[in-house]
Amino acid sequence: MAEQLRLMAVHAHPDDESSKGAATMAKYVAEGVDVLVVTCTGGERGSVLNPKMDRPDVWANIGEIRRAEMDAARAILGIDQAWLGFVDSGLPEGDPLPPLPEGCFALQDVQVAAGPLVRLMRQFRPHVVTTYDEEGGYPHPDHIMTHKVSVAAFEAAGDPERYPELGEPWQPLKLYYDIGFSKGKIMALHEAMLEAGLESPYEDWLKRWEDRPDKGPRITTRVECAEYFPVRDDALRAHATQIDPDGFWFHVPMELQRRAWPTEDFQLARSLVDSPLPESDLFAGVRETCHAR
């Protein structure tokens, strides 16, 4: 029998798993892959971005509420989920930026903070790990720290001399970075909206993009998962404090999204198997290895 395929997705906060790669995870769950989301922080310092939830009772219980939202999203996606237990760093604003809160995730020593993730990798034994690029996808301190911790754990988990107290070594075979938005994707959705006679929510975004690097050329792997976009959106809505159901994320009609850009996109950052690029499967090269065992 072929070995059971396993995917680990490492994210900074509850809701990140539903806005980055969620349709891909739902697709693999439907195909019988074991999927574990690792959430580094509790999202305690996240903003309340849904006006209907911006209430004193919500703010007073934000940590508990965000955990309950994560439970709901986990059930919708069909995944397993684990907390690393670090405290949200918040998103500093101002000029100059204020210091980060004492004890928060982004201020941890990377090698120390990687320990709990190494333990999970050795317990779950993922073949593939996904996380953020070196910029965190966008420059939130927790996202950048998630990148650092994920890379450190990926490199240490298979080494018997590192973290020997944290379980039997296990080496994941591939590491990917989520590429949530590229200029090509935004342009495709923008043009599809205009062709349909609809107002595009991306016009201002494209204007701002002139001063930003495009991550499109970094994409190595495009996973066809349009069938699971509705599952992704249901999981997003489960994070009611973070996602306004009448907001930006849901302005583009579903059929238009599926037609204009039917994939979620990734950059292959590390690979210990042979998988020629470009790819359409995060397990390219892994499936052959597992069948051979």
Side-chain angles (χ1 to χ4, degrees):
M1 292 179 63
E3 185 177 350
Q4 174 68 41
L5 295 175
R6 294 177 295 275
L7 170 65
M8 173 183 282
V10 188
H11 289 283
H13 311 106
D15 79 82
D16 286 325
E17 85 295 328
S18 296
S19 61
K20 302 166 187 68
T24 296
M25 291 191 294
K27 165 189 165 70
Y28 283 125
V29 167
E31 293 176 358
V33 175
D34 284 346
V35 179
L36 175 67
V37 164
V38 180
T39 312
C40 293
T41 80
E44 304 90 346
R45 292 190 172 98
S47 302
V48 175
L49 301 176
N50 180 354
K52 303 176 188 67
M53 299 291 289
D54 191 1
R55 308 189 308 263
D57 61 306
V58 170
W59 282 107
N61 299 284
I62 191 67
E64 293 178 17
I65 290 171
R66 297 214 65 191
R67 281 181 172 265
E69 291 173 346
M70 183 68 248
D71 286 345
R74 173 188 51 74
I76 290 166
L77 292 171
I79 58 170
D80 292 320
Q81 187 262 342
W83 302 93
L84 276 198
F86 294 103
V87 177
D88 192 338
S89 305
L91 182 59
E93 295 179 302
D95 187 11
L97 291 174
L100 292 172
E102 184 177 352
C104 71
F105 179 48
L107 293 181
Q108 303 300 309
D109 177 273
V110 171
Q111 296 305 317
V112 174
L117 186 55
V118 169
R119 184 192 298 276
L120 275 177
M121 285 186 179
R122 290 175 176 176
Q123 290 173 346
F124 181 65
R125 297 160 63 90
H127 301 97
V128 174
V129 177
T130 67
T131 190
Y132 315 136
D133 65 16
E134 62 280 355
E135 297 174 350
Y138 76 103
H140 188 299
D142 284 338
H143 286 236
I144 294 170
M145 186 63 168
T146 297
H147 162 80
K148 293 177 180 178
V149 167
S150 299
V151 171
F154 182 91
E155 293 175 347
D159 186 344
E161 296 185 359
R162 301 184 65 187
Y163 306 95
E165 72 284 5
L166 299 183
E168 290 296 316
W170 172 264
Q171 180 58 60
L173 297 175
K174 299 175 87 173
L175 175 68
Y176 286 94
Y177 300 154
D178 293 293
I179 306 292
F181 287 99
S182 60
K183 191 170 185 179
K185 178 177 181 177
I186 298 305
M187 184 63 74
L189 293 169
H190 172 71
E191 291 177 349
M193 289 288 281
L194 297 181
E195 289 171 6
L198 301 170
E199 183 179 353
S200 170
Y202 297 110
E203 191 146 359
D204 289 339
W205 198 340
L206 285 168
K207 289 177 183 176
R208 294 195 302 271
W209 209 295
E210 295 173 3
D211 301 322
R212 296 174 55 189
D214 178 20
K215 295 186 179 180
R218 298 175 62 168
I219 295 170
T220 61
T221 311
R222 302 179 188 271
V223 179
E224 291 265 358
C225 53
E227 178 183 351
Y228 299 94
F229 285 178
V231 180
R232 172 204 65 193
D233 285 2
D234 286 345
L236 268 172
R237 282 186 282 264
H239 291 284
T241 56
Q242 291 287 295
I243 302 296
D244 182 354
D246 301 317
F248 175 88
W249 288 104
F250 308 107
H251 283 181
V252 181
M254 182 57 64
E255 287 309 310
L256 189 152
Q257 289 185 52
R258 287 170 158 169
R259 185 172 66 252
W261 203 272
T263 65
E264 289 182 335
D265 307 325
F266 301 84
Q267 176 189 356
L268 179 60
R270 307 272 198 287
S271 182
L272 282 72
V273 296
D274 183 24
S275 54
L277 302 179
E279 301 173 320
S280 59
D281 178 14
L282 299 184
F283 290 93
V286 175
R287 295 180 190 275
E288 296 80 357
T289 300
C290 290
H291 276 287
R293 289 176 179 173

